[in-house]
Amino acid sequence: MKRPFPALFVLLITLVLSLGCKQQGQRLGEIQAGQIRIDSTLEQVDSLETFIEPYRNRLNEVLDIPLCYAPHSLSKTDGALNSSLGNLMADIILKQADMVFQRREGKGVDIALHNYGGMRTAISRGAVTERTAFEVMPFENAIVIVEMSGATVRKMVDFLARARNPHPVAGRRLVLDADGRPASISVQGRLLEDSKTYYVATSDYLVGGGNGMTFLEAHSRLYKTGYKIRNAMIDYFREVDTLTSGVDDRVVQLREQ
């Protein structure tokens, strides 16, 4: 009978060698960093430019198709208490959100609220295009609808009355006294009732407390539409022939007698 010791010895040597040949775990030894400036000093790559050019041309063609006409420029700075551009934005959100809400929930939107800083440029006199919508509203914010009590709407009004800049609002009329405090608040032509339920269309940015509008967090229910404000603008531009927005009496202030 042969002794198994030579075979065991060979097995032991093989095992030792295989363990010894295993790679050690890799560890980070050094990190190097640098800056690459992206400016006019960079040379364009002709092959990439040739590849991108037809897509760029088609995109510009679509963005510059006239959708409607602005007989005069609309700005967010042409009024002290409300503005032509702000009123247009709020009216668009109210109208387009109401259509979605009626179709999905069978309910109407009472008020629309946007933020002053969300309007990034004016609408110039002349043709209004998709590019116009991207320039005014470059953000990806979507419309949401919040259900809130009249008492919370009153807090909203108090906040807006104290704001330095006129945030766009539609569906609500506010009369301020000589000291700038709310004297009369009406929603859809009727005086505000603290115990009544109202539906406010706004942006997902504001409903999260953006611009300090924490009162929106007190909603009792939130409806997400998935409808971007910019897309609502484009749809509205396609539906109308002429933009007629201007500074109006949705917010007025009484004078001292």
Side-chain angles (χ1 to χ4, degrees), residues 32-123:
Q32 295 182 345
Q35 289 186 339
I36 300 176
R37 296 183 63 84
I38 301 177
D39 54 26
S40 59
T41 61
L42 290 177
E43 297 181 0
Q44 71 177 30
V45 179
D46 291 339
S47 60
L48 290 177
E49 184 66 23
T50 301
F51 177 78
I52 293 172
E53 185 177 12
Y55 298 97
R56 179 193 295 120
N57 292 341
R58 177 55 181 164
L59 179 61
N60 287 330
E61 180 183 333
V62 171
L63 287 176
D64 291 330
I65 295 174
L67 302 179
C68 63
Y69 179 75
H72 57 83
S73 296
L74 305 177
S75 169
K76 68 178 184 179
T77 60
D78 56 5
L81 301 178
N82 60 88
S83 67
S84 58
L85 181 60
N87 291 345
L88 175 67
M89 289 294 294
D91 290 344
I92 289 175
I93 294 172
L94 180 63
K95 180 179 182 297
Q96 301 303 118
D98 185 70
M99 288 194 302
V100 173
F101 204 41
Q102 290 280 6
R103 185 168 60 248
R104 295 183 184 179
E105 304 291 337
K107 301 174 182 178
V109 174
D110 300 298
I111 302 171
L113 170 66
H114 192 43
N115 60 312
Y116 182 87
M119 302 174 291
R120 307 306 287 184
T121 189
I123 295 179

Side-chain angles (χ1 to χ4, degrees), residues 79-83 166-167 176 247 250-253:
L81 301 178
N82 60 88
S83 67
H167 294 292
L176 301 171
V247 178
R250 65 187 66 191
V251 183
V252 296
Q253 184 167 2

Side-chain angles (χ1 to χ4, degrees), residues 193-213:
E193 300 178 35
D194 286 357
S195 60
K196 186 176 179 179
T197 297
Y198 295 92
Y199 295 98
V200 179
T202 186
S203 75
D204 50 6
Y205 166 69
L206 295 182
V207 83
N211 268 149
M213 298 189 188

Side-chain angles (χ1 to χ4, degrees), residues 80-226:
L81 301 178
N82 60 88
S83 67
S84 58
L85 181 60
N87 291 345
L88 175 67
M89 289 294 294
D91 290 344
I92 289 175
I93 294 172
L94 180 63
K95 180 179 182 297
Q96 301 303 118
D98 185 70
M99 288 194 302
V100 173
F101 204 41
Q102 290 280 6
R103 185 168 60 248
R104 295 183 184 179
E105 304 291 337
K107 301 174 182 178
V109 174
D110 300 298
I111 302 171
L113 170 66
H114 192 43
N115 60 312
Y116 182 87
M119 302 174 291
R120 307 306 287 184
T121 189
I123 295 179
S124 299
R125 176 185 176 185
V128 178
T129 65
E130 285 195 29
R131 188 185 301 277
T132 305
F134 275 87
E135 290 173 344
V136 175
M137 184 64 191
F139 310 107
E140 297 300 310
N141 298 127
I143 296 173
V144 295
I145 299 167
V146 292
E147 179 183 300
M148 59 174 58
S149 67
T152 304
V153 172
R154 193 176 296 279
K155 292 180 181 179
M156 177 183 77
V157 172
D158 290 339
F159 174 91
L160 297 177
R162 296 192 306 269
R164 293 181 57 188
N165 296 312
H167 294 292
V169 180
R172 180 223 66 190
R173 187 171 188 273
L174 171 63
V175 177
L176 301 171
D177 64 19
D179 295 321
R181 295 171 299 193
S184 174
I185 308 167
S186 58
V187 177
Q188 295 296 327
R190 298 183 178 182
L191 290 177
L192 178 70
E193 300 178 35
D194 286 357
S195 60
K196 186 176 179 179
T197 297
Y198 295 92
Y199 295 98
V200 179
T202 186
S203 75
D204 50 6
Y205 166 69
L206 295 182
V207 83
N211 268 149
M213 298 189 188
T214 55
F215 53 83
L216 289 171
E217 297 174 346
H219 59 266
S220 54
R221 188 173 180 182
L222 173 69
Y223 300 85
K224 296 181 179 181
T225 68

